Amino acid sequence: MTCTSPQSKAGGGGANSASAGPALLGIRDSSGWTLHDYQVVDSTNLLAAGLASWNAVRAKTQTAGRGRYQRSWVSDEGGLWLSAVVPVASAESARVLPLLAGLALCRVLEDLGLGTVRMRWPNDLLVDRRKLAGILVDSFRPDAAVIGLGMNVQNHPESGDAKLSGQTTRLADLLANPPSLDELTALVLRIIRKEMEAFAESGFVLPADRLNGLWGPPRTVELDLDGELRRGAFTGVDAEGRLGLWSSDGNLTFYSAHQVRHLTELES
Ligand code: BTN
């Protein structure tokens, strides 16, 4: 897995480009989901795009894994490359899905006994500045969204991109007994479903307090607001999922996710 700098990998050259489509290994029920398992696909998010809610797609490898900011995502064998299709009630509720998905994945890692994970806005999962997992939410149609998540488990991201050396970590480096990919998949799907159902039952209220316990120590950040740079103290998110920035002139400003092209952490 893992985000590389923008680079043009040979997208479309994988099994998906063949007229027969990628080889399906099997379909089975898992934690309230229907899981479609593949050996190799271009991107599990693209394959999930046409499926109904509560279906999920997993692949052993991706040939054109997609990351945020149009980056490619190294997806070598041994990592978790999973896309889960969830129902969307409104455009407003869809906007906070990247945050909710990050919260769910943090909960999975806590359940596995990892107490050192934190989130970098909006949903990178880090341990000691190294990236463990990333999430890309795609909205291909109004009634559903695809939550794509990639987690390093037993794979070797730096073998797919040398620039990732020292930038990433894996469950195998962090846990004495990392779960199998099947155990991890079942846990991830179960918790995503629980968080999605709790969100719907709450009337689509974002659990901002829980999220704001996941950002780690206070830190100074720089926001790229479509070319305009703003520095300040990151204050977490509000109930609408907007990012709070306390600037040195004493103003607290909230920004919607679509206003923030990129957030850079300047210190911890
Ligand atoms: C990020 O840039 O941090 C998000 C990376 C998301 C990668 C996952 S792997 C499974 C799913 N399929 C993709 O093509 N991307 C996501």
Side-chain angles (χ1 to χ4, degrees):
M1 92 138 197
T2 301
C3 250
T4 67
S5 49
Q7 62 184 59
S8 47
K9 289 182 76 187
N16 262 357
S17 59
S19 55
L24 182 63
L25 297 175
I27 301 180
R28 64 189 158 91
D29 289 339
S30 174
S31 306
W33 296 74
T34 302
L35 177 64
H36 305 242
D37 247 326
Y38 289 87
Q39 180 71 32
V40 53
V41 303
D42 52 5
S43 158
T44 53
N45 270 26
L46 298 182
L47 218 60
L51 297 178
S53 293
W54 312 126
N55 277 271
V57 175
R58 183 178 69 167
K60 289 194 191 308
T61 61
Q62 299 184 113
T63 55
R66 301 166 62 239
R68 295 174 57 238
Y69 311 117
Q70 270 77 52
R71 290 174 178 164
S72 61
W73 187 262
V74 175
S75 315
D76 53 324
E77 189 151 356
L80 180 67
W81 323 126
L82 179 69
S83 297
V85 188
V86 297
V88 162
S90 65
E92 293 73 44
S93 64
R95 271 197 276 279
V96 299
L97 281 181
L99 293 167
L100 259 190
L103 177 73
L105 213 49
C106 274
R107 195 174 146 189
V108 167
L109 294 165
E110 276 167 22
D111 283 7
L112 290 171
L114 257 184
T116 49
V117 183
R118 71 168 180 94
M119 285 224 286
R120 176 174 60 200
W121 185 92
N123 56 20
D124 288 336
L125 271 72
L126 308 181
V127 176
D128 293 338
R129 294 181 175 274
R130 292 179 180 232
K131 191 151 166 172
L132 173 62
I135 296 168
L136 174 69
V137 177
D138 276 317
S139 295
F140 296 108
R141 55 183 209 265
D143 65 321
V146 176
I147 298 176
L149 54 97
M151 191 185 303
N152 292 321
V153 184
Q154 301 272 7
N155 55 310
H156 298 277
E158 68 288 348
S159 67
D161 183 345
K163 290 195 292 297
L164 294 173
S165 182
Q167 307 291 311
T168 62
T169 188
R170 316 171 305 155
L171 275 189
D173 300 326
L174 301 166
L175 292 175
N177 294 302
S180 69
L181 289 180
D182 279 347
E183 289 164 341
L184 188 58
T185 302
L187 186 59
V188 167
L189 290 177
R190 180 153 51 80
I191 291 186
I192 289 179
R193 181 141 194 173
K194 270 194 182 168
E195 290 292 347
M196 289 300 299
E197 286 175 349
F199 181 51
E201 277 160 24
S202 73
F204 303 101
V205 176
L206 183 71
D209 286 351
R210 284 174 61 211
L211 269 161
N212 288 334
L214 299 172
W215 307 115
R219 67 190 72 240
T220 303
V221 299
E222 184 170 78
L223 303 185
D224 177 347
L225 307 169
D226 238 353
E228 188 188 330
L229 301 181
R230 293 268 168 85
R231 275 187 188 198
F234 173 70
T235 65
V237 295
D238 69 6
E240 276 81 53
R242 297 175 307 168
L243 178 163
L245 189 78
W246 208 299
S247 52
S248 52
D249 57 12
N251 287 321
L252 176 60
T253 311
F254 287 92
Y255 299 95
S256 300
H258 73 268
Q259 294 178 276
V260 181
R261 191 194 289 171
H262 196 260
L263 173 148
T264 307
E265 294 183 341
L266 300 177
E267 62 184 51
S268 57

